[in-house]
Amino acid sequence: MTANLPLMSGGQLVVAALRAHRVRMAFSVAGESYLEVLDALYDAPEIHLVTCRQEGGAAFMAEAYGKLTGEPGVLLVTRGPGACNASIGVHTAFQDSTPMIVLVGQVARHQIDREAFQEVDFRKMYAPLAKWVTQIDLAERVPELINQAFQVATSGRPGPVVLALPEDMLRDRAAAAVVGPYHAVHAHPGAANLAEMRRLVAAAERPIMLVGGSGWSDAAAVDIARFAEANQLPVCCSFRRQDIVDNRLASFVGDLGTGAAPALVARFKAADLVLAVGARIGEITSQSYTLLGVPDPGKTLIHVHAAAEELGRVFRPTLAIQSGMPEFAAAAAALEPILAPRWRGWREAARAEYEAGLAPSSFETAPVLDLGRVMSWLRERLPDDAIVTSDAGNFSGWPNRFLQYRRPGRQLGPTSGAMGYGVPAAVAAKLVHPERVVVGFCGDGGFMMTGQELMTALGEGVGPIILLFNNAMYGTIRMHQERRFPGRVVGTALKNPDFAALAAAYGGFGAVIALTEEFAPAFEAALASRRAAIIELRMDPEIITTRTTLSALRRQAEAASAS
Ligand SMILES: Cc1ncc(C[n+]2csc(CCOP(=O)(O)OP(=O)(O)O)c2C)c(N)n1
Ligand SMILES: [Mg+2]
């Protein structure tokens, strides 16, 4: 079978397999452990190799690539140190159900288990962080195992797959047939499932849909919205999955993230039926498992998920449907709508609450930089296909509450809550779609974790715009401190560099704004510069969330401890 095949090195076989699986872009920090792969990439100009500055940033870029395109993000890193740095992005891909392929250099096979230079047993290290980990010990098995990696990463519930590549295996030569491209495998909903779902929904008084998770194509997003609209069902979305249903539709009623609107939380609790599609209904979305009982949800739960293992894992559903999102959404859109549903008023009230929440909250002292007004301006200004990325932190409440997401625009945020995501994700998004507006939201804390990847954007000639919310603190943790230990601030205050000067030092565009009316011109100038940009928003540090202040939290905590 291999008689007519050319002899190739293990490294060449790796790159041939990536080509066969139609990989167009890969993110890397170089290492001597995988020189053969790098050298083979020299001869594969159709794979755009992005040279990053730290593996954590590179891994976030690969994760964001996977989230954005639905195709696995490919990451190349060196053994111990590279793999350790990369682990935050692998964990994020795991929690966020994002397809990803991680190629890690490894020590030579005959040195394994001596604790050779930078040696790590990746099967052990990545066991709880990845969907699958293996080591390719024979060059002739490279095509087989890379094919398996792509299948596993993309099928069912997507996730990261780690492949360790011993350096001497990469030098071995073998003749092996390269296979590809992969075909992701997803279940379809059965006719009986759909009929039962329709029957349960029709019997409800106060139903609510929850959409979330990964695997949503633009077409699936359109289909699920069509189903919701046809049946007048209110739809909310899970944490950082706000781009599945067009937020401007009458069906959309808000998001169940960290800053979920209290009215939506109350409404979800009052619902008698939940139709959860794609969401795992994790800790954040379920508001620390308070929205549904565990394991008995206490109401009718129809749970649709791509992975059989997720169904009945935490909540025991009335009806479980294993299905991919496009497959389910198309089938749901084709169902006969439920006519004159009883819940029309319920849906309208939920929508009215969501719309009321778009009006900025008022604070005791009106801030000179009114972030609610800034976000309202941005909501109107951003094109339909804009890509918004987000880091983790309290500042993310501003875009989450006030922007309106829709396809083909996207929201790319770490449901893992990993700080450092915002900049690398914006760089990756701009590399994939250089023609689109890409805006990355970061706090001052998160920015300083991976902000150097802005240089990667400048090196590549692409210009994401970073909105840096500077409150000179790890604000989220300060908020928790004020609630639990009022007035006792420790470990959360930050001294920061001059961010606009930092942007300029990289060769990018930098601006600082302190007043509401300065934002629009700064944003337009950043766009016009076409360079990677930082717009620092000098926040009033008192304003700790979109709804409350630090002093108010402290007063509440002190009053609670006094009573
Ligand atoms: C990598 C990582 N480290 C630590 C945390 C814990 N953490 C969550 S939010 C936060 C502070 C975020 O600060 P900043 O980026 O300035 O945003 P802010 O909350 O001030 O808006 C921290 C330390 C985390 N989520 N991720
Ligand atoms: Mg901060």
Side-chain angles (χ1 to χ4, degrees):
M1 233 178 82
T2 55
N4 297 324
L5 294 170
L7 271 182
M8 290 201 264
S9 73
Q12 288 167 334
L13 283 165
V14 167
V15 172
L18 295 180
R19 288 164 92 156
H21 292 292
R22 310 222 168 112
V23 172
R24 295 275 168 267
M25 195 176 281
F27 302 89
S28 72
V29 175
E32 71 274 31
S33 59
Y34 68 96
L35 282 178
E36 270 64 27
V37 178
L38 285 173
D39 188 67
L41 283 166
Y42 185 87
D43 294 322
E46 76 272 33
I47 300 180
H48 179 168
L49 184 69
V50 181
T51 303
C52 309
R53 310 313 288 253
Q54 209 261 19
E55 291 86 352
F60 281 143
M61 287 187 216
E63 200 281 346
Y65 180 96
K67 214 173 236 161
L68 180 58
T69 66
E71 311 273 337
V74 175
L75 173 69
L76 294 96
V77 297
T78 199
R79 43 203 174 191
C84 288
N85 271 347
S87 60
I88 189 169
V90 181
H91 177 245
T92 295
F94 190 73
Q95 287 233 308
D96 290 33
S97 311
T98 306
M100 182 165 160
I101 303 284
V102 185
L103 302 171
V104 190
Q106 176 59 305
V107 301
R109 287 163 296 183
H110 59 277
Q111 293 171 349
I112 277 176
D113 282 336
R114 287 181 185 166
E115 199 187 326
F117 181 57
Q118 302 181 333
E119 181 183 351
V120 171
D121 180 341
F122 294 116
R123 284 196 179 95
K124 279 190 191 152
M125 174 189 159
Y126 275 118
L129 298 182
K131 190 172 173 189
W132 183 50
V133 193
T134 195
Q135 180 165 306
I136 308 184
D137 279 321
L138 292 170
E140 57 264 38
R141 294 195 66 193
V142 164
E144 172 203 341
L145 290 168
I146 289 192
N147 183 62
Q148 193 175 338
F150 275 84
Q151 286 301 133
V152 171
T154 56
S155 296
R157 178 183 172 194
V161 170
V162 178
L163 297 170
L165 308 172
E167 64 174 81
D168 58 332
M169 180 283 290
L170 292 175
R171 282 196 291 270
D172 276 358
R173 295 172 76 76
V178 171
V179 292
Y182 70 92
H183 294 295
V185 180
H186 292 294
H188 289 65
N193 284 163
L194 293 163
E196 177 66 356
M197 175 179 91
R198 192 176 179 284
R199 192 188 67 75
L200 287 169
V201 174
E205 300 281 336
R206 297 175 307 281
I208 192 161
M209 270 178 81
L210 166 65
V211 295
S214 73
W216 291 94
S217 61
D218 287 357
V222 168
D223 280 341
I224 206 69
R226 193 175 298 155
F227 168 75
E229 293 272 294
N231 291 283
Q232 305 201 29
L233 289 165
V235 189
C236 59
C237 59
S238 65
F239 181 41
R240 297 196 166 129
R241 304 288 191 182
Q242 291 173 251
D243 59 4
I244 297 172
V245 164
D246 187 335
N247 295 185
R248 296 164 301 186
L249 291 177
S251 298
F252 182 77
V253 299
D255 80 293
L256 290 172
T258 45
L264 176 60
V265 169
R267 198 164 280 279
F268 198 99
K269 286 182 178 165
D272 63 346
L273 177 141
V274 173
L275 170 55
V277 185
R280 287 195 307 122
I281 329 180
E283 181 186 342
I284 301 285
T285 298
S286 67
Q287 311 289 304
S288 289
Y289 304 102
T290 61
L291 292 186
L292 295 169
V294 178
D296 177 0
K299 56 184 72 180
T300 306
L301 172 64
I302 305 169
H303 198 177
V304 184
H305 201 279
E309 312 83 80
E310 292 304 322
L311 294 165
R313 180 179 176 183
V314 181
F315 308 101
R316 187 172 176 280
T318 317
L319 171 65
I321 303 179
Q322 188 192 355
S323 177
M325 294 308 109
E327 293 79 3
F328 176 80
L335 283 177
E336 191 190 326
I338 297 162
L339 294 176
R342 285 183 292 282
W343 50 82
R344 187 188 170 132
W346 155 262
R347 197 275 313 257
E348 284 170 354
R351 176 68 189 180
E353 285 161 1
Y354 162 74
E355 286 178 0
L358 291 176
S361 307
S362 52
F363 295 94
E364 287 159 63
T365 321
V368 288
L369 175 56
D370 184 335
L371 292 171
R373 276 173 56 209
V374 167
M375 291 299 116
S376 303
W377 180 84
L378 208 52
R379 179 170 71 231
E380 303 304 319
R381 175 66 182 83
L382 287 179
D384 270 5
D385 65 353
I387 301 171
V388 171
T389 76
S390 170
D391 215 274
N394 266 21
F395 70 87
S396 65
W398 296 97
N400 289 1
R401 174 172 163 192
F402 293 109
L403 295 187
Q404 287 185 313
Y405 300 87
R406 64 263 178 178
R407 303 289 178 114
R410 293 297 304 273
Q411 177 196 40
L412 308 177
T415 73
S416 69
M419 287 168 73
Y421 186 85
V423 171
V427 176
K430 195 71 184 171
L431 283 165
V432 174
H433 290 295
E435 74 293 354
R436 294 205 199 170
V437 174
V438 176
V439 183
F441 286 78
C442 296
D444 49 324
F447 176 86
M448 290 296 279
M449 290 193 175
T450 52
Q452 78 280 6
E453 299 299 347
L454 219 50
M455 199 61 230
T456 305
L458 280 144
E460 293 280 340
V462 295
I465 299 177
I466 305 302
L467 303 185
L468 199 161
F469 288 61
N470 186 1
N471 56 1
M473 64 175 116
Y474 289 132
T476 315
I477 313 305
R478 173 74 184 278
M479 170 183 75
H480 292 300
Q481 278 177 337
E482 293 293 355
R483 281 187 183 144
R484 293 267 303 280
F485 305 103
R488 293 167 61 86
V489 179
V490 57
T492 51
L494 296 172
K495 282 257 183 307
N496 282 315
D498 177 338
F499 289 115
L502 189 64
Y506 284 153
F509 173 95
V512 183
I513 66 149
L515 303 173
T516 311
E517 46 285 7
E518 290 170 346
F519 182 77
F523 188 81
E524 298 298 350
L527 267 182
S529 82
R530 307 181 72 82
R531 286 176 292 155
I534 299 177
I535 300 176
E536 177 192 337
L537 291 88
R538 290 256 165 93
M539 293 176 67
D540 177 346
E542 259 293 295
I543 308 231
I544 194 65
T545 72
T546 68
R547 299 174 214 277
T548 192
T549 61
L550 280 174
S551 318
L553 288 180
R554 191 176 313 151
R555 280 197 305 273
Q556 282 160 17
E558 283 165 353
S561 68
S563 66

